[in-house]
Amino acid sequence: MKHLAGALVLLIATAVNPLAVAAAAPSVAATELATSTLAAVRRAGGGAAWQRFAMLAAQGRIVTSGLPGRWRRVDDLRGGRYSTATDVSAFRVAEGNDGSKHWRQDPSGAVHSLNAPFALAATATDAWLAERGWLRKDSASAAIGQAETRSEEGHRYDVVTMTPRAGQPIELWFDSSSHQLARTVRQMPISVQTVRYGDYRKVAGLPLPFRIETRDSASSDVETITVESWRPARFATSRTFTAPAPPDDTELVGDTRVELDVDGFVTLPARLNGKLFEFILDTGGHDIITPAVAAKLGLQPLGHGASGGAGAGQLVEQHVRVETLQIGAATLRHQHFYVLPLQYSTVERGARPELGGLLGLELFERLRGRIDYAGRALTLSRFGSASLAPPAHEVPIVFDDDIPLLVGRIGADPGLFAIDTGNSGSTVVQARWARRNGLAEAMKRGIETVSYGAGGASRNWVSRVAMLEIGDARIAHLIGRYAEDEAGAFSSRTEAGNIGTDVLSGFVVDIDYGRGVIGFEARPGYVAPPFSRTGFRAIKEDAA
């Protein structure tokens, strides 16, 4: 692997959202059905009653991840802002759009923006839904696409596809009898999201659903909301939609340096409630412990959700709170951890103690981290600290979800690449992006192999990539894996690839979520680890 100097490549503004492609023009019959359907929907939808109100607030009960709790939502009917919040005791989450940014608060209480191209399109569609754009005479400038009548389980629906301005397409399923919105269906990066609405009742002349159910094809978990009250209001207050302040739960004076073990995975020691464990450092994951670690800490996991990763499988997901997480001189208090039964092949390390889990998004939301692969050290500092000089070259990062993305290139083709310190192997090139850019056929001529992630096996083909560009770094003749997964993290419709240890270990990587950048300092003379050509791989699946 060779690094060559070059101009800094900043391509965020030119990144293409592959899900925002113009749909084929609907037929005359489909246009007539859409027009008649929307006219009937508007007659049944409350009409002029909507004009009296600027804000709509709801509260009720929710069951998510097998846990009951409280839920609330507020919509700005005239500006498209919104916020939702869920509290199930084991964790609290929130999400919203304040009119300038889409924010998310994860179960740890930390907040980050969702600002990648797909997320921006999804935000525009969310805003259109919040202001009930389909009830407006002009559909709030949304483009009307295909329309058809469908039957399912004895019910008939008039289904209209609409694309809000700058938004993503969304299917609206209207009950053919009541003309109320019964369902929305959206294509997400690795899944299909379906939201069902039912039990409509009138409040101040507005027909509103009192039951909302959300399903995602990437998970077996079902989120069910029972609305207890809807409250229309004549004015909308901006603070309602503002992101909550992150918790003041992190203590660190100066910097702290922690030794790393780099053997594919990047691992480090950390103490949970005073007990020492080893963890994978994973920008592509969350804070996770195994059930065995939870038992050692005397913690009782709660919930029964589902989680996945690379591969199509799912793992049972539960939740705990850890009073203290200590990494070197840094202390993080009252931290949320997911509890997942990670594969034995992931945590088992021979004579060394088995791994206790992962440290990921939640750590980097709180502290800047500099990973020195050659020096085998992680340096943590507070955001804004001047003690560490900024890297010579930094690249902006964005988020569609919880993994940092940056714009890079393979050959002449720009795309969004995930920076994944939890990818212990070679760079993965995603099939849908490769097909759009004419790379799939050539990459599939490589050596067929199988890799393994949290979701199980992932089938890939290993071949050479002529050139990968990240910021000012150009990496020639890179060994890459082409993945054709139909589900899981490597089935993305929006990402070009996933960059792991084979590339990252050639740099000092400076991760600064506070400023929204990742810095790269090339290691002179770096030689990538050789790719195994033995033709087989041994995996230990249990302790027997």
Side-chain angles (χ1 to χ4, degrees):
M1 187 180 300
K2 186 177 182 181
H3 302 285
L4 303 174
L8 185 65
V9 181
L10 300 179
L11 302 169
I12 292 295
T14 63
V16 175
N17 174 13
L19 298 189
V21 178
S27 66
V28 173
T31 300
E32 291 176 351
L33 176 60
T35 300
S36 61
T37 295
L38 291 173
V41 165
R42 288 160 188 157
R43 287 193 297 271
W50 288 95
Q51 298 174 14
R52 302 200 305 267
F53 304 108
M55 191 171 78
L56 191 59
Q59 63 177 1
R61 293 174 282 117
I62 188 171
V63 177
T64 184
S65 294
L67 295 167
R70 301 295 302 172
W71 167 88
R72 63 176 174 83
R73 180 179 176 98
V74 183
D75 289 334
D76 177 358
L77 298 175
R78 296 176 183 172
R81 296 173 296 175
Y82 58 87
S83 66
T84 65
T86 295
D87 183 351
V88 294
S89 296
F91 62 87
R92 298 175 182 175
V93 293
E95 192 163 328
N97 167 19
D98 64 8
S100 62
K101 68 178 181 180
H102 184 172
W103 53 266
R104 173 183 291 169
Q105 183 177 44
D106 62 54
S108 77
V111 178
H112 68 275
S113 294
L114 301 180
N115 53 358
F118 169 79
L120 295 177
T123 302
T125 295
D126 286 332
W128 184 83
L129 291 171
E131 62 183 4
R132 276 58 176 182
W134 69 91
L135 292 176
R136 298 190 181 190
K137 186 175 182 180
D138 63 352
S139 300
S141 300
I144 300 175
Q146 296 295 332
E148 61 181 316
T149 299
R150 300 181 192 173
S151 296
E152 186 178 291
E153 298 177 350
H155 296 276
R156 283 173 57 84
Y157 302 94
D158 297 316
V159 182
V160 181
T161 298
M162 304 188 75
T163 305
R165 182 188 299 168
Q168 66 170 147
I170 183 168
E171 284 186 2
L172 305 177
W173 292 49
F174 299 104
D175 184 276
S176 296
S177 299
S178 69
H179 306 298
Q180 301 299 341
L181 181 64
R183 186 183 312 179
T184 62
V185 181
R186 303 165 74 174
Q187 181 68 70
M188 309 306 279
I190 63 170
S191 64
V192 175
Q193 181 196 76
T194 301
V195 182
R196 298 173 185 260
Y197 303 90
D199 189 16
Y200 275 83
R201 310 174 201 172
K202 280 201 171 182
V203 178
L206 309 177
L208 297 167
F210 278 72
R211 181 177 176 84
I212 305 170
E213 178 189 278
T214 301
R215 295 175 181 266
D216 192 289
S217 63
S219 172
S220 58
D221 194 22
V222 179
E223 179 183 278
T224 303
I225 294 165
T226 303
V227 181
E228 295 174 336
S229 68
W230 287 97
R231 292 184 297 104
R234 296 186 182 275
F235 303 97
T237 54
S238 295
R239 67 176 181 274
T240 303
F241 309 102
T242 302
D248 183 14
D249 59 8
T250 303
E251 300 172 9
L252 177 61
V253 178
D255 303 335
T256 187
R257 186 177 185 275
V258 183
E259 290 187 6
L260 299 176
D261 185 6
V262 182
D263 182 16
F265 286 127
V266 179
T267 60
L268 75 163
R271 292 184 180 275
L272 302 184
N273 295 350
K275 294 186 177 181
L276 184 64
F277 301 94
E278 289 280 326
F279 290 87
I280 297 170
L281 186 64
D282 186 5
T283 53
H286 285 269
D287 285 358
I288 295 170
I289 58 174
T290 64
V293 169
K296 290 176 182 178
L297 295 174
L299 301 174
Q300 180 59 52
L302 300 175
H304 194 81
S307 179
Q314 295 183 15
L315 301 173
V316 175
E317 175 185 279
Q318 295 181 291
H319 308 264
V320 294
R321 284 280 175 180
V322 173
E323 285 306 310
T324 59
L325 163 61
Q326 294 171 287
I327 308 169
T331 300
L332 288 67
R333 301 190 180 281
H334 198 52
Q335 294 298 294
H336 170 272
F337 275 75
Y338 293 95
V339 180
L340 294 176
L342 300 175
Q343 291 96 333
Y344 187 72
S345 60
T346 298
V347 300
E348 191 271 336
R349 300 196 299 166
R352 296 173 295 174
E354 69 179 43
L355 292 172
L358 281 64
L359 297 177
L361 171 75
E362 295 80 0
L363 172 62
F364 293 108
E365 284 179 318
R366 289 165 169 79
L367 296 169
R368 173 183 170 189
R370 177 173 287 185
I371 305 172
D372 183 349
Y373 282 83
R376 296 180 178 268
L378 167 70
T379 301
L380 297 173
S381 62
R382 300 300 293 257
F383 292 142
S385 171
S387 58
L388 288 178
H393 300 290
E394 295 178 324
V395 182
I397 55 172
V398 291
F399 293 88
D400 265 337
D401 194 1
D402 297 335
I403 186 170
L405 306 170
L406 55 78
V407 175
R409 288 181 184 269
I410 289 181
D413 303 309
L416 278 176
F417 289 82
I419 299 300
D420 188 359
T421 61
N423 173 356
S424 62
S426 51
T427 294
V428 176
V429 178
Q430 304 254 15
R432 288 182 173 89
W433 180 84
R435 290 175 191 141
R436 287 195 300 270
N437 291 281
L439 300 176
E441 184 177 343
M443 294 200 72
K444 201 169 178 179
R445 296 193 195 109
I447 301 170
E448 187 173 354
T449 185
V450 177
S451 60
Y452 293 86
S458 171
R459 185 183 180 195
N460 7 109
W461 288 262
V462 179
S463 60
R464 289 282 181 180
V465 175
M467 182 74 72
L468 170 67
E469 296 184 19
I470 310 172
D472 73 324
R474 295 182 179 182
I475 305 160
H477 307 300
L478 170 73
I479 293 178
R481 287 179 288 146
Y482 168 70
E484 281 193 335
D485 293 4
E486 293 299 322
F490 294 158
S491 65
S492 177
R493 292 168 173 81
T494 57
E495 294 175 22
N498 181 289
I499 296 173
T501 298
D502 67 328
V503 169
L504 299 179
S505 57
F507 299 89
V508 174
V509 182
D510 196 304
I511 302 168
D512 190 345
Y513 286 8
R515 294 192 300 117
V517 296
I518 291 182
F520 297 91
E521 294 179 2
R523 289 171 48 192
Y526 170 72
V527 177
F531 181 79
S532 173
R533 292 181 290 179
T534 59
F536 67 90
R537 180 181 179 187
I539 295 176
K540 193 172 183 179
E541 295 185 341
D542 54 51

